[in-house]
Amino acid sequence: MKILEKYFPQLTEVQREQFGALDALYHEWNEKINVISRKDIDNLYLHHVLHSLAIARMVNFRPGTSILDFGTGGGFPGIPLAILFPECQFKLIDGTGKKIRVVQEVSTAIGLKNCKAEHLRGEDEKGLFDFVVSRAVMPLPDMVKIVRKNVSRQHQQNALPNGIICLKGGHLDTETAPFRKIVQVQSLTDWFSDDWFKEKYCIYLPI
């Protein structure tokens, strides 16, 4: 939890309580349904929560922004972002029903009012959103084919034009090559000093 306060000192008391509750909740649910690697659950705040919040460094979502978390798994990056941006609306989808159950239970337990989770494949999502976010779900070109239909072209209200923001690691040249004229790739070490963030990136693609 201290790692979050280091990089996001402006958290409200409610946000601190919500973030603070995640540790026990995910430990409890991970015993029943494995949504985070057993070896990784003790690194929840650094590897999952703070990692998710890197998207908030790419764009500070303005109130009223709608965001789709595509392939949310156990709720990342959607739940941390929904805590940080209580005046934005989030929809979290995943093709695995038991993971969505965890997302729903965690969201309810911490009192998130701006977060809806649904057992749904990206191909079947029909809604329009300002941004689609994800965390290492699939290669970027494949993801763009699925979610391009879900990015609104009409409603622009943020410093960045509507588009896709995803968190990825490793060598990304092949994935980003089809979009090289418009894609932005930001190293997470520009924002977070911890060694774990080396060779991890936030990718923004306007649609």
Side-chain angles (χ1 to χ4, degrees), residues 69-80:
D69 180 358
F70 168 67
T72 189
F76 302 99
I79 285 179

Side-chain angles (χ1 to χ4, degrees), residues 86-145:
E87 295 182 356
C88 298
Q89 295 300 314
F90 291 82
K91 182 173 183 181
L92 283 55
I93 64 170
D94 199 277
T96 304
K98 62 182 181 180
K99 292 182 178 179
I100 286 297
R101 185 187 168 207
V102 174
V103 175
Q104 291 168 335
E105 295 286 349
V106 170
S107 297
T108 300
I110 63 173
L112 275 185
K113 307 293 188 192
N114 61 331
C115 179
K116 180 172 86 168
E118 190 173 343
H119 178 204
L120 193 68
R121 295 171 69 245
E123 291 86 347
D124 300 320
E125 174 58 64
K126 301 294 194 290
L128 283 176
F129 303 85
D130 299 319
F131 289 90
V132 178
V133 299
S134 80
R135 204 167 73 122
V137 170
M138 62 177 60
L140 187 60
D142 297 337
M143 180 180 167
V144 170
K145 287 177 186 174

